[in-house]
């Protein structure tokens, strides 16, 4: 199948171009004669971006599918312009066995909507101590994580990093000293981040830090990055949009922080120390939110939220936003995606950068409706999404 994508403004992490894109069997290729094309795709003068990759998502499947499942989560991801996600392992049962892992991966492939990667737990069933389940780790696992929990035992975490390095896999870490978080959640995040930055540096181990939210944690990451540690990090749209000036009763872990923290995260994005925007998309039922369950959905509005806070504000360019929403997270997940160059996947998100819309509950594709953005006017509307050259989402709004 040969396609030519035409009539667009193309943005990747480094360039802006109006040149047509040539695609063969889902891969961007060098130019071929127009008469060889099986399809010419008119992109309606929209901005064409490499589709986004989310390194931190909860689809609640298996075990909590009343909140979300692989299919509804995939449709929500496409609505937000994402074609790759990394799913966390706090399902029921947890992703601590090859059987659970392979089931999720197979069902994701069978849906053929987006590309799904699934983490494996660091400790067996999040018990905080057992690592022997990693001895039967499936070959396709790229990340391990105990998301929702910090690994509080220092020796267990050290041994887990050693094991991960031996296996050639990465870790994505929820940083929270459990016994401290109820007293001071800021110190809880800062202290564990500092420990794990040091471990990663001394062990020469690649480690990814999830949903960084404090100035202290980000300062530690910056320091060890400058030393040459193989560490990467993500921030969420809600931690750069909201702060203690606006947070009211927003229950999420890590919490919405002070304005000082938010502004520091923005500065670190500007300086290039933040590698990824990840949503921590966390569906809950209405009853669970009434009972203060932590977390919010966000994958459908991530681009528009970040476009407003980061690009329209003048802080960074659209190319830079593509870098932290597509290019770098794709590199971290080891996917050949995120650039508009031959050899890369033809995963494209077409965006009307001038179109504003009110995000309404009835428009949400996620099974859960617990969004912080309902009722807000956002700019930058995802209009179409292609995965490997195949149209997977079209906005009918």
């Amino acid at each position: 199948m040969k396609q030519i994508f035409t009539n667009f403004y193309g943005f990747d992490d480094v360039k802006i171009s109006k040149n047509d894109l040539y695609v063969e069997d889902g891969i961007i290729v060098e130019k071929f004669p127009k008469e060889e094309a099986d399809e010419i795709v008119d992109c309606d003068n929209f901005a064409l971006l490499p589709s986004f990759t989310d390194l931190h998502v909860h689809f609640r499947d298996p075990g909590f599918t009343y909140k979300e499942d692989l299919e509804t989560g995939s449709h929500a991801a496409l609505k937000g312009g994402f074609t790759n996600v990394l799913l966390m392992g706090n399902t029921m049962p947890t992703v601590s066995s090859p059987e659970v892992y392979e089931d999720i991966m197979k069902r994701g492939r069978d849906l053929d909507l987006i590309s799904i990667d699934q983490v494996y737990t660091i400790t067996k069933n999040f018990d905080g101590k057992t690592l022997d389940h990693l001895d039967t780790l499936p070959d396709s696992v790229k990340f391990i994580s105990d998301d929702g929990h910090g690994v509080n035992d220092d020796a267990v975490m050290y041994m887990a990093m050693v094991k991960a390095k031996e296996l050639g896999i990465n870790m994505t870490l929820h940083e929270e000293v459990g016994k401290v978080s109820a007293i001071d959640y800021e110190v809880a995040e800062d202290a564990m981040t500092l420990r794990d930055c040091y471990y990663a540096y001394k062990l020469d181990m690649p480690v990814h830090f999830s949903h960084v939210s404090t100035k202290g944690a980000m300062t530690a990451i910056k320091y060890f990055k400058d030393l040459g540690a193989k560490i990467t990090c993500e921030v969420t749209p809600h931690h750069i949009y909201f702060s203690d000036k606006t947070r009211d009763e927003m229950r999420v872990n890590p919490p919405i922080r002070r304005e000082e923290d938010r502004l520091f995260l923005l500065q670190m994005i500007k300086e290039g120390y933040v590698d990824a925007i990840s949503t921590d998309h966390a569906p809950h039922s209405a009853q669970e939110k009434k009972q203060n369950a932590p977390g919010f959905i966000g994958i459908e509005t991530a681009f528009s939220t970040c476009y407003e806070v980061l690009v329209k504000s003048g802080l960074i360019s659209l190319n830079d936003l593509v870098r932290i929403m597509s290019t770098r997270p794709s590199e971290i997940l080891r996917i050949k995606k995120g650039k508009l160059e031959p050899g890369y996947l033809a995963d494209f998100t077409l965006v009307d950068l001038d179109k504003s819309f009110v995000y309404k509950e009835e428009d949400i594709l996620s099974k859960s409706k617990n969004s912080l953005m309902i009722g807000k006017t956002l700019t930058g509307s995802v209009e179409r999404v292609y995965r490997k050259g195949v149209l997977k989402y079209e906005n009918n709004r």
Side-chain angles (χ1 to χ4, degrees):
M1 176 71 168
K2 289 187 174 182
Q3 301 166 290
I4 300 175
F5 285 76
T6 189
N7 189 25
F8 60 81
Y9 288 89
F11 295 81
D12 64 11
D13 62 320
V14 293
K15 65 178 182 290
I16 305 171
S17 173
K18 277 190 67 68
N19 295 334
D20 293 347
L21 283 169
Y22 294 78
V23 173
E24 185 170 1
D25 297 331
I27 305 292
I28 302 172
V29 297
E30 300 287 355
K31 187 174 182 178
F32 51 75
K34 189 173 183 179
E35 57 269 20
E36 293 183 9
D38 299 296
E39 180 184 20
I40 296 177
V41 180
D42 187 336
C43 296
D44 297 321
N45 211 32
F46 292 136
L48 184 149
L49 318 177
S51 295
F52 313 131
T53 292
D54 196 332
L55 296 174
H56 197 114
V57 173
H58 302 266
F59 281 176
R60 310 299 193 195
D61 188 349
F64 304 102
T65 53
Y66 64 93
K67 305 185 192 195
E68 194 79 284
D69 57 48
L70 294 181
E71 183 171 5
T72 60
S74 295
H75 284 297
L78 287 168
K79 182 181 176 72
F82 292 84
T83 56
N84 287 82
V85 299
L86 180 64
L87 300 182
M88 296 300 106
N90 55 342
T91 52
M92 184 61 69
T94 58
V95 188
S96 298
S97 69
E99 293 76 21
V100 175
Y101 172 84
E102 295 292 0
D103 172 66
I104 294 168
M105 293 292 286
K106 181 182 184 304
R107 288 189 291 117
R109 288 191 299 270
D110 290 346
L111 282 171
D112 195 30
L113 292 169
I114 63 174
S115 296
I116 286 174
D117 279 283
Q118 173 66 59
V119 305
Y120 218 71
T121 62
I122 296 174
T123 63
K124 189 172 184 179
N125 298 322
F126 297 147
D127 69 2
K129 58 185 178 182
T130 306
L131 301 175
D132 58 11
H133 67 303
L134 299 178
D135 294 333
T136 56
L137 196 74
D139 290 339
S140 62
V141 172
K142 298 176 182 177
F143 275 88
I144 55 175
S145 177
D146 270 10
D147 183 63
H149 310 270
V151 179
N152 286 281
D153 188 297
D154 296 342
V156 170
M157 189 58 184
Y158 182 90
M159 291 185 290
M161 278 202 193
V162 170
K163 185 71 172 177
K165 185 175 182 180
E166 290 173 352
L167 293 168
I169 56 174
N170 205 330
M171 315 177 92
T172 178
L173 301 180
H174 176 113
E175 300 295 76
E176 175 187 353
V177 181
K179 292 183 178 179
V180 176
S181 60
I183 306 167
D184 190 329
Y185 206 150
E186 179 182 355
V187 171
E189 180 176 342
D190 293 354
M192 189 171 282
T193 302
L194 185 60
R195 180 198 71 180
D196 292 338
C197 281
Y198 181 73
Y199 281 3
Y201 173 65
K202 292 298 287 186
L203 291 170
D204 195 31
M205 165 67 192
V207 169
H208 183 76
F209 290 91
S210 299
H211 45 53
V212 181
S213 68
T214 68
K215 182 177 180 179
M218 195 68 235
T219 298
I221 289 166
K222 178 181 184 297
Y223 176 82
F224 281 96
K225 273 180 170 262
D226 287 343
L227 285 181
K230 296 177 180 177
I231 57 178
T232 55
C233 69
E234 67 190 40
V235 299
T236 72
H238 51 271
H239 283 117
I240 61 173
Y241 190 94
F242 297 100
S243 70
D244 56 357
K245 291 183 177 181
T246 55
R247 64 185 174 184
D248 299 323
E249 297 300 322
M250 301 175 189
R251 176 84 167 94
V252 62
N253 287 341
I256 301 299
R257 301 297 191 179
R258 300 167 299 170
E259 180 70 356
E260 177 185 358
D261 297 295
R262 188 185 78 88
L263 293 176
F264 191 75
L265 294 182
L266 293 179
Q267 184 63 28
M268 291 298 95
I269 290 172
K270 183 178 181 179
E271 293 183 18
Y273 284 98
V274 173
D275 299 274
I277 297 289
S278 301
T279 64
D280 196 7
H281 177 81
H284 290 295
S285 69
Q287 183 61 34
E288 286 168 330
K289 286 307 294 181
K290 287 180 182 178
Q291 296 169 348
N292 286 323
F296 299 92
I297 61 171
I299 203 165
E300 297 181 26
T301 54
F303 174 79
S304 300
T305 302
C306 293
Y307 183 65
E308 176 180 333
V309 174
L310 300 176
V311 180
K312 288 187 68 182
S313 69
L315 185 75
I316 63 173
S317 69
L318 182 54
N319 298 102
D320 290 329
L321 183 57
V322 170
R323 177 180 58 82
I324 56 176
M325 290 194 71
S326 181
T327 315
R328 281 296 288 136
S330 296
E331 289 170 352
I332 292 166
L333 200 53
R334 292 178 285 186
I335 307 163
K336 191 75 168 177
K337 195 187 83 169
K339 288 182 175 289
L340 303 179
E341 296 179 359
Y344 282 76
L345 287 173
D347 282 25
F348 305 139
T349 292
L350 303 186
V351 180
D352 186 338
L353 296 174
D354 298 319
K355 183 176 180 179
S356 295
F357 61 97
V358 177
Y359 188 57
K360 300 175 182 177
E361 182 171 335
E362 57 264 33
D363 296 330
I364 294 174
L365 296 187
S366 172
K367 197 176 285 189
S368 294
K369 312 303 176 186
N370 57 312
S371 169
L372 292 170
M373 307 307 293
I374 292 173
K376 294 190 178 296
T377 300
L378 301 171
T379 303
S381 175
V382 173
E383 296 299 313
R384 280 187 263 161
V385 180
Y386 293 84
R387 175 172 167 254
K388 299 180 182 178
V390 178
L391 181 64
K392 295 292 184 180
Y393 169 80
E394 187 165 16
N395 183 15
N396 296 316
R397 182 169 48 220

